[in-house]
Amino acid sequence: MNRIWLVLGLFVFGMLSCQKTGFITDQSAILDTTTDSLRFDTVFTSTGSITQFFKIYNRNDQKLRISSINLMGGNSSPYKINVDGDAGTQFSNIEMEANDSIYVFVSVTINPTAANAPFIAQDSIKINFNGKTKWVQLEAFGQNANYIRSLALSGNNTWTNSKPYVILGGMQILPNASLTIQQGTKVYVHADAPIIVDGTLITQGGPEAANRVVFKGDRLDQPYADFPASWPGIYFRSTSKNNVLQYTSILNAYQALVTENGVANSNPTLTLESCIVDNAYDAGIIALNSSIKASNSLISNCGKNIQLALGGIYSFTNCTNVAYSNSYILHKEPGLFVSNSYKQNNAVIVSPLYAQFTNCIFWGAFGTVDNEVVTSKDNSAVFDASFINCSWKVKSAPANATVNNMVTIDDPQFDSINTSKRYFDFHLKETSPLINKGASVGLLKDLDGKNRSVAQPDLGCYERQ
């Protein structure tokens, strides 16, 4: 009997001695979380707090020491965290038993009436262990708005100005579908959210600032509010048709407006009436074998203001195309590039081009551009580009264009320019040489909705009052 107890005792001792009672310290350690992101998908109508949680798992057969858990926004974050019963923003030396777990509770307090708050309040939790890092991203709605996430629109849709719209993850207007946006509506777009138009987009803005339709990034807090490339842009694809933007501002995009392969329809693919395209990092308007009709519109301070390639049908009347180097974008590309060709997959393809520019201003300063208008003609296709009663800054006029009654000047005399403060007012001073120099084209209003001289309008998008 004593021998049996001796054997059992040795067996138990051996089993206990084989257990790993220390901490695992090398990078083979496995630590999991139940999610890599917490999203607070609630439209807040009053100040309030919402709490969610995730779990951290020690997947090892030894104890694990988490060296730190940090809420990266610290005390200024709208988020608060509680780790295993303790509240705070920084935690260290947290011991976890083998195959055990702990809870992390996350709360967010939002005031939806704070006008300068971002629409998307973001932060992150950083977990450090054994020289490794794991992240959990936090995202909450920061203002009361209509939130659109990865939506494909079918049928006929109308957006009103009762609340702003915030687009997350992108939005598509399907072929034969339409979206009409009423005056005063503001659309804020996240950095990962292109607007794809395969159907029809119509905006119905008004000339007053409060009534304009506005597209811009969803970060309203400084210094992000005016960064270029803060959202992708609006892309009109080959099935898109009859798009009309009225009194609409497209601000701070990467490529503000892109349209392609739309000349088959008798109406322009895109009509711009009294629109502003400003501070787009790569380009304001890109058109490939498409059709655009623009009037009383301002295209300003983009990496490339207007690029028209692979032919198409274009009409720009009383538009101001201007770029100044500033703290965001160096002016190093011509304000207007026009071509009937395009290089694709190392091959040059061509298509007929018909483009007319009337009563327009093409100007740039403080950059490296000598010619604000550049044309490129391939002789194997029609190239018909004409400039009538326009003013441009060029050292040498493009040889391939028809030019009539141009106004050559040293300074258009815009109202006020301060590049260091990024203040740009492109109205004309009363001493501007561009006043009353336009051809009669029948436009009755300017970009501000003010009356135009019908017989002798001023050049550009603004009429001097």
Side-chain angles (χ1 to χ4, degrees), residues 235-394:
Y235 300 86
F236 301 91
R237 299 200 294 195
S238 58
T239 60
S240 184
K241 59 185 178 181
N242 302 329
N243 301 283
V244 179
L245 308 186
Q246 297 175 318
Y247 290 105
T248 297
S249 298
I250 304 98
L251 311 176
N252 310 334
Y254 178 70
Q255 294 174 330
L257 299 171
V258 179
T259 177
E260 59 179 350
N261 301 327
V263 296
N265 187 14
S266 58
N267 294 327
T269 297
L270 177 60
T271 299
L272 302 176
E273 298 176 359
S274 300
C275 291
I276 297 173
V277 179
D278 180 66
N279 199 38
Y281 183 80
D282 180 67
I285 297 175
I286 298 176
L288 296 176
N289 190 30
S290 190
S291 53
I292 296 175
K293 182 179 180 180
S295 60
N296 286 329
S297 292
L298 170 65
I299 301 90
S300 55
N301 292 338
C302 302
K304 298 180 285 287
N305 277 3
I306 302 176
Q307 298 271 299
L308 311 177
L310 191 56
I313 303 173
Y314 307 101
S315 172
F316 287 78
T317 305
N318 278 101
C319 293
T320 299
N321 181 330
V322 58
Y324 282 74
S325 284
N326 57 77
S327 57
Y328 289 161
I329 300 174
L330 173 65
H331 180 46
K332 58 182 181 180
E333 300 286 347
L336 173 67
F337 175 77
V338 183
S339 177
N340 61 353
S341 65
Y342 183 71
K343 188 174 182 180
Q344 187 176 50
N345 298 327
N346 295 320
V348 176
I349 52 178
V350 299
S351 186
L353 173 94
Y354 304 91
Q356 180 170 301
F357 304 89
T358 307
N359 298 348
C360 293
I361 300 171
F362 301 94
W363 187 262
F366 306 143
T368 60
V369 180
D370 290 328
N371 295 306
E372 293 296 339
V373 176
V374 173
T375 61
S376 175
K377 177 184 178 182
D378 190 298
N379 291 325
S380 61
V382 173
F383 186 95
D384 184 353
S386 61
F387 295 84
I388 303 168
N389 287 70
C390 293
S391 174
W392 57 19
K393 178 184 176 183
V394 294

Side-chain angles (χ1 to χ4, degrees), residues 71-277:
L71 177 66
M72 299 308 292
N75 293 325
S76 62
S77 174
Y79 296 91
K80 303 299 178 187
I81 62 176
N82 182 300
V83 177
D84 208 24
D86 294 324
T89 60
Q90 297 180 345
F91 307 84
S92 59
N93 296 323
I94 303 161
E95 296 183 3
M96 297 183 65
E97 295 293 333
N99 299 304
D100 200 1
S101 64
I102 60 174
Y103 281 90
V104 178
F105 291 91
V106 183
S107 64
V108 58
T109 302
I110 295 293
N111 179 3
T113 64
N116 62 341
F119 279 98
I120 307 299
Q122 295 178 304
D123 206 341
S124 58
I125 297 172
K126 183 180 181 181
I127 305 168
N128 290 319
F129 66 101
N130 292 14
K132 299 167 66 175
T133 300
K134 195 169 186 68
W135 294 89
V136 175
Q137 303 297 325
L138 308 176
E139 179 184 285
F141 296 158
Q143 290 192 45
N144 193 20
N146 299 298
Y147 288 88
I148 306 297
R149 189 184 296 278
S150 302
L151 179 67
L153 289 176
S154 60
N156 299 320
N157 306 269
T158 300
W159 288 0
T160 68
N161 63 8
S162 58
K163 287 188 294 187
Y165 287 80
V166 180
I167 300 177
L168 309 165
M171 183 184 75
Q172 179 187 12
I173 303 173
L174 294 171
N176 300 316
S178 68
L179 172 61
T180 299
I181 301 178
Q182 295 182 350
Q183 69 175 13
T185 303
K186 306 299 185 281
V187 182
Y188 299 94
V189 191
H190 203 52
D192 64 347
I195 299 174
I196 307 295
V197 184
D198 293 319
T200 300
L201 174 63
I202 297 173
T203 64
Q204 300 173 331
E208 302 82 7
N211 289 332
R212 294 189 69 85
V213 173
V214 175
F215 292 86
K216 66 181 302 185
D218 63 356
R219 293 294 301 266
L220 304 184
D221 51 327
Q222 294 298 331
Y224 308 100
D226 296 317
F227 278 0
S230 57
W231 62 289
I234 306 174
Y235 300 86
F236 301 91
R237 299 200 294 195
S238 58
T239 60
S240 184
K241 59 185 178 181
N242 302 329
N243 301 283
V244 179
L245 308 186
Q246 297 175 318
Y247 290 105
T248 297
S249 298
I250 304 98
L251 311 176
N252 310 334
Y254 178 70
Q255 294 174 330
L257 299 171
V258 179
T259 177
E260 59 179 350
N261 301 327
V263 296
N265 187 14
S266 58
N267 294 327
T269 297
L270 177 60
T271 299
L272 302 176
E273 298 176 359
S274 300
C275 291
I276 297 173
V277 179

